[in-house]
Amino acid sequence: MTSARPAADAASLTDHLSHWAAHRPQQRAFSQVDFPDSSATGLHRTLGWRALDARARAVAARLVTVASPGERAALVLPQGLDYVAGFLGCLYARVIAVPLFGPELPGHEGRLAAVLADCEPACLLADSGTAPAVRDFVRDRRLPDLPVIPVDELPLQRRGSGSDEAKPEPNDIAYLQYTSGSTRSPAGVMISHANVVANARQALDAFVDDPEAATTVGWLPLFHDMGLVLSIAAPVVGGFPSVLMNPASFLQDPSRWLRLLGSYEGTISAAPNFAYDYCVARTAPEVVDELRLERVRVLINGSEPVRAGTVDRFRTAFAPAGLAPATHCPAYGLAEATVFVTASSPGEPPSAVACHPGALAEGRVEETAVDEGASVLVSCGTPVGQELRIVGADGAVLPQGRVGEIQLRGPNIGLGYWKRAGLTAETFGFGAREDWLRTGDLGALHDGRLLVTGRLKDVLIVDGRNHYPQDIEETVQSALPLVRPDHLAAFGVARPDTVGEELVVVAEHRRDADPTEEDLRVAERAVRAAVSARHGLRLGSLLLVPPGSVPRTSSGKVSRAATRTRFLDEGFGGDGLGGDGFGDDGSGPR
C-alpha cells in the first residue's frame, strides 16, 4: 500500500476519491454491516477504493442524462454502500446532492414531503428494494413525477468514462444539508465543495493522529450532518476505512456498535448524549465482559447537550472492557458550519465546570462547589481551524466567563440557506457583521474552552433571569424515576392573566410504567419541589405522556418547539394551560 497523499490543491471529495482509487485500489474503503438476525457480529459487505469510485461514476453517468449541473438529486435510499456511492456520484456529476431518508422512516413523512417540495429535485436516488415505495410516496403526496433511479442496478463505469470531464469549482454547492428543525422548520444549508473538504480536514486535525491507523465506525444517519462528515467526508479525505451500520441496528442492540468499535485499530465514532446512556442501560454485565475496547481512540459526544453524569456513567460501565477515560470527547457543531466546530483534545479526559446557578441565570460563569444546586457544564473544547467569539445582545464581544451568542468564522461556514435570502442575511451576516455566523446558541469561554449553555430560542426568561431548558429537564428526570431519561421537553408559555412566561414540562413515562392517579400527584409534588429548590421557578404544568409522544426531529433530538405547539393545541389530551393537568387519558401519538 502506497502512502502517497492527495495533492494540496485537491479541492473536492471526488478529487480525493479519484486519488485513492488510483493509489489504493484494493484497500478496504467502506463496509456495511447488516444484522438480519440476532447475530452479534453481523454480515459485512465491503468496497475497495476502486470499486467505490466505479459505483460513484456509474451514478454520475446516469445523473447527467436526467439532471444538469446545479440541479438537485435527493437521496431517499437506506443507509449503506449505495447511499455513499449515490452521494459521491452526485458530486462527480456536479449535481447538488440532498441527503434525505426514505418514506419508510416512521413519523417523518411530512418532513420528507416538505423538503422535497423545497429543494425541487430533478430526480430521486433509491435502490431496487425501495424504489416502488418511493414512487408510491411521490404519487400519494402529489409531488411532481420525477425519475426514480435505483443506484444498485446501474452498470459500472471505468475511470475516464466521461463522468469526470468537468470538475466542480470549490465554491459550487456540493449538497444541501437540511437542518433538523429542533427550533424551526427545516432549512437547507448550502454546503460548498470547499466547505466539506475544509471541515473534513478540521475533523482529521482534531481526532486523527495517524490516518494510516484509523477507522470510523458509525450508526448515525448519513442524512445527518455529523453522520455524513464523519462517516463519508472524513474517510474520503483521509483515505482510511469507514464502517457503517443502520441506526435501527444500534437501537435494537447497542452492543453491536460496541463490538464493532473494538474490532478495528484506532476507532473513531460519534453519538449524541442519549446514546451513551442507552448503552449503559441496555448492555448486560456479561456482555461488557466480552467487549474489547482498548483500541478505541475517540468517541465524540455531540449533537445535543453533553451531560457530565452521562460521561461518568459510560466511563465507569465500560472501563472493565478496556475503554480509556480519555476516549470520550465532547464536541460542539451545527449544520451551518458543515458540522464540526469545537472539540476536546483526544487523550485528555473530559472536563466539567460546576457553575453557580444564580450567576448563570444572570449571564455569568462563576465556579462553585459541586452539589445538588450547581449547574454542571461539560467543556466542549476549543475551535478547530476556525474562529469563535461570544457576543452580547448589543453586538459587543464579551470576555471570558460571560454568556452570549456563539458566533463563528472559517472556511467551513456554509454559503447560506437555500432559497431563503432574508434568513441567510440575518444568520450568516454576509456583507455585514464581518461575515460572522450567528449560531443561535448560547455559551461562554472558560479557560479558553467552550461551555454551551443552550439555544437562544429555547431560553426561558422569568423575572429577567435566563433559565436553560436542558438544566430544568435534568432536574425533572433526576427527581422523577418515572420519567424516561432525555424524553422530555421544558418550555415557557405566556399566560393571558400575567406578564412573562410560566414553565411547562412534558415528559414521557417509562415503557414499563402504568401511572396511577396517585403516582401522578406524587410526581407533580416531587417535580414542583425540585424545580423550585434548584431554579427558583414555579412549575406551571407537568404532563406525563406515553412513550413516543414527545416530538423528535429526524436526527433524534427532542423538538421543544413542536412539543410547545402541540401542548398549546391541546394535542397531548390535557387542558392546555391547566396547572395540574397531566394528560393522563393516555392520548398522544406513539
Side-chain angles (χ1 to χ4, degrees), residues 232-250:
I232 298 181
V236 168
V237 171
F240 52 82
S242 175
V243 178
L244 306 171
M245 62 180 289
N246 194 292
S249 297
F250 168 79

Side-chain angles (χ1 to χ4, degrees), residues 13 175 191-207 225-226 228-230 233-234 237 332-342 384-386 410-413:
L13 292 183
Y175 62 97
I191 302 296
S192 72
H193 293 272
N195 291 153
V196 66
V197 170
N199 204 228
R201 287 173 174 160
Q202 290 163 344
L204 296 178
D205 290 342
F207 307 120
D225 48 12
M226 187 182 292
L228 191 149
V229 172
L230 190 65
V237 171
Y332 165 73
L334 67 165
E336 288 81 353
T338 306
V339 64
F340 289 109
V341 175
T342 69
V384 182
Q386 54 202 288
N412 54 304
I413 305 301

Side-chain angles (χ1 to χ4, degrees), residues 472 475-476 479-480 495 502-505 520-543 577-582:
I472 297 170
T475 297
V476 172
L480 202 58
R495 293 194 63 140
E502 71 170 13
L503 173 64
V504 174
V505 178
L520 301 179
R521 284 191 287 271
V522 171
E524 183 191 17
R525 289 195 295 269
V527 170
R528 196 176 293 279
V531 170
S532 176
R534 182 169 181 184
H535 305 281
L537 286 173
R538 178 184 179 277
L539 177 68
S541 294
L542 170 68
L543 271 70
L577 295 176
D580 296 322
F582 282 91

Side-chain angles (χ1 to χ4, degrees), residues 203-211 213-217 260-262 264-270 292-300 322-329 344-349:
L204 296 178
D205 290 342
F207 307 120
V208 182
D209 272 348
D210 180 11
T215 298
T216 61
V217 173
L260 286 175
L261 290 176
Y264 304 93
E265 190 68 38
T267 313
I268 302 161
S269 193
R292 296 293 179 267
L293 301 178
E294 59 274 357
R295 295 196 291 177
V296 178
R297 171 166 171 73
V298 174
L299 292 177
I300 302 164
L323 185 72
T327 58
H328 212 108
C329 188
S344 301
S345 299
E348 296 181 6

Side-chain angles (χ1 to χ4, degrees), residues 175-414:
Y175 62 97
L176 301 181
Q177 180 66 64
Y178 275 83
T179 61
S180 60
S182 59
T183 59
R184 62 167 179 244
S185 59
V189 182
M190 299 181 288
I191 302 296
S192 72
H193 293 272
N195 291 153
V196 66
V197 170
N199 204 228
R201 287 173 174 160
Q202 290 163 344
L204 296 178
D205 290 342
F207 307 120
V208 182
D209 272 348
D210 180 11
E212 307 296 331
T215 298
T216 61
V217 173
W219 58 265
L220 290 177
L222 295 178
F223 60 81
H224 184 274
D225 48 12
M226 187 182 292
L228 191 149
V229 172
L230 190 65
S231 288
I232 298 181
V236 168
V237 171
F240 52 82
S242 175
V243 178
L244 306 171
M245 62 180 289
N246 194 292
S249 297
F250 168 79
L251 294 174
Q252 291 164 2
D253 183 358
S255 73
R256 293 167 171 172
W257 177 53
L258 297 169
R259 292 180 193 277
L260 286 175
L261 290 176
S263 300
Y264 304 93
E265 190 68 38
T267 313
I268 302 161
S269 193
N273 190 84
F274 87 85
Y276 294 101
D277 270 329
Y278 189 69
C279 287
V280 174
R282 293 291 300 272
T283 307
E286 56 268 25
V287 175
V288 174
D289 291 340
E290 298 173 359
L291 298 175
R292 296 293 179 267
L293 301 178
E294 59 274 357
R295 295 196 291 177
V296 178
R297 171 166 171 73
V298 174
L299 292 177
I300 302 164
N301 188 332
S303 178
E304 60 186 22
V306 180
R307 302 191 189 278
T310 299
V311 175
D312 291 339
R313 286 188 291 271
F314 188 83
R315 181 169 49 199
T316 300
F318 296 102
L323 185 72
T327 58
H328 212 108
C329 188
Y332 165 73
L334 67 165
E336 288 81 353
T338 306
V339 64
F340 289 109
V341 175
T342 69
S344 301
S345 299
E348 296 181 6
S351 61
V353 180
C355 303
H356 189 284
L360 196 61
E362 296 173 358
R364 305 188 316 276
V365 172
E366 292 183 5
E367 289 195 66
T368 187
V370 178
D371 56 33
E372 290 186 0
S375 296
V376 181
L377 301 178
V378 177
S379 166
C380 290
T382 56
V384 182
Q386 54 202 288
E387 299 174 78
L388 182 151
R389 69 182 187 182
I390 306 297
V391 176
D394 60 357
V397 178
L398 299 177
Q400 292 213 34
R402 294 290 302 278
V403 176
E405 184 181 30
I406 302 167
Q407 296 189 359
L408 306 169
R409 184 167 64 183
N412 54 304
I413 305 301

